[in-house]
């Protein structure tokens, strides 16, 4: 199944470390980050899951839930979580999906739909493409998709930055420039006329007719 930005995030029912969930029901009306892993007890993913456990309060503050996925049984996840806490110094409190039948990986285009079999006998290498991050909005639509190679740890501070940008631009007629971070100036979208900009963003700066900046709205 091919997925694009602004497609509805596919719904599914799956076992997790916190019980069986129906994904859209679990999402509720907030934001969510779904991030996947090719196999349990893999070194790079261990550091990623631990880091997400440490910064989960930052996502909670932004009304965003976290959910992990790995192509292994939930029982393996439970043992892995203990290792993560031991080695990374953080307890994983968010759920982790056990995608043993590869259903979610296929549904989210992380594995080919025609892929046969289950998690049994598969290695991290055969699941190498199951290293994606999806940000899902309150409308249950996909807002961002990223896929990383197995040897490169993900930058979850960047996911926080992108989430901040998305939440800001969902409320105001602005866009965020390159390397933007909280408190930096923003760009007024082209759809806003100069007259409207004067009312909504008094004192804005016109660098070019198509490039107008203003202080970040509160």
């Amino acid at each position: 199944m091919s997925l694009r930005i602004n497609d509805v995030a596919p719904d599914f029912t799956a076992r997790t470390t916190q019980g069986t969930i129906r994904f859209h029901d679990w999402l509720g009306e907030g934001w969510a980050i779904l991030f996947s892993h090719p196999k349990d007890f893999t070194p790079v993913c261990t550091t990623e899951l631990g880091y997400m456990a440490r910064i989960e309060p930052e996502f909670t503050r932004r009304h965003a839930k976290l959910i992990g996925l790995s192509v292994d049984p939930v029982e393996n996840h439970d043992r892995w979580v203990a290792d993560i806490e031991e080695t990374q110094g953080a307890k994983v409190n968010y759920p982790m999906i056990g995608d043993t039948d590869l259903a979610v990986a296929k549904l989210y285009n992380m594995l080919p739909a025609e892929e046969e079999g289950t998690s049994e006998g598969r290695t991290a290498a055969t699941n190498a493409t199951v290293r994606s991050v999806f940000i899902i909005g309150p409308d249950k639509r996909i807002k961002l998709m990223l896929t990383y190679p197995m040897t490169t740890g993900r930058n979850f501070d960047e996911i926080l930055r992108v989430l901040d940008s998305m939440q800001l631009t969902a409320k105001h007629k602005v866009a965020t420039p390159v390397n933007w971070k909280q408190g930096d100036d923003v760009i007024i979208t082209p759809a806003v006329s100069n007259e409207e900009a004067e009312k909504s963003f008094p004192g804005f700066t016109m660098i070019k007719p198509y490039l107008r900046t203003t202080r970040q709205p509160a």
Side-chain angles (χ1 to χ4, degrees), residues 158 160-166 168 175-186 216:
E158 167 66 1
L160 274 173
R161 189 192 74 88
V162 172
L163 182 60
D164 283 341
S165 171
M166 289 178 173
L168 176 69
T176 55
V178 61
N179 294 333
W180 173 89
K181 58 185 182 297
Q182 278 282 11
D184 288 352
D185 286 355
V186 296
Q216 177 182 322

Side-chain angles (χ1 to χ4, degrees), residues 60-173:
T60 301
R61 191 164 63 83
R62 293 162 171 82
H63 307 289
K65 294 180 176 180
L66 303 180
I67 187 164
L69 175 149
S70 181
V71 183
D72 265 325
V74 166
E75 292 74 19
N76 289 16
H77 293 358
D78 289 333
R79 292 188 292 115
W80 192 18
V81 162
D83 279 4
I84 293 165
E85 184 172 6
E86 177 189 346
T87 62
Q88 305 303 305
K91 184 177 181 180
V92 175
N93 292 314
Y94 49 83
M96 291 175 59
I97 297 164
D99 194 26
T100 54
D101 59 1
L102 316 180
V104 182
K106 294 177 187 178
L107 198 58
Y108 277 75
N109 201 35
M110 294 182 281
L111 287 173
E114 63 273 13
E115 192 83 10
E116 296 181 352
T118 67
S119 62
E120 189 67 31
R122 295 181 67 90
T123 67
T126 54
N127 297 333
T129 51
V130 187
R131 273 188 57 73
S132 295
V133 180
F134 299 87
I135 296 183
I136 300 164
D139 57 0
K140 297 180 173 59
R141 293 185 179 274
I142 295 171
K143 306 299 183 184
L144 171 141
M145 298 183 291
L146 290 171
T147 301
Y148 285 71
M150 287 197 300
T151 52
T152 301
R154 285 171 272 199
N155 184 340
F156 288 116
D157 290 336
E158 167 66 1
I159 301 303
L160 274 173
R161 189 192 74 88
V162 172
L163 182 60
D164 283 341
S165 171
M166 289 178 173
Q167 293 183 341
L168 176 69
T169 59
K171 292 179 181 178
H172 304 280
K173 295 178 181 179

Side-chain angles (χ1 to χ4, degrees), residues 24-73:
H24 279 194
D25 292 341
W26 177 86
L27 285 173
E29 297 180 354
W31 295 75
I33 289 82
L34 166 63
F35 60 112
S36 62
H37 305 270
K39 194 78 179 166
D40 288 8
F41 306 104
T42 48
V44 174
C45 294
T46 297
T47 65
E48 292 173 337
L49 287 158
Y51 190 74
M52 282 296 253
R54 285 200 299 276
I55 67 171
E56 184 178 14
E58 290 296 325
F59 287 97
T60 301
R61 191 164 63 83
R62 293 162 171 82
H63 307 289
K65 294 180 176 180
L66 303 180
I67 187 164
L69 175 149
S70 181
V71 183
D72 265 325

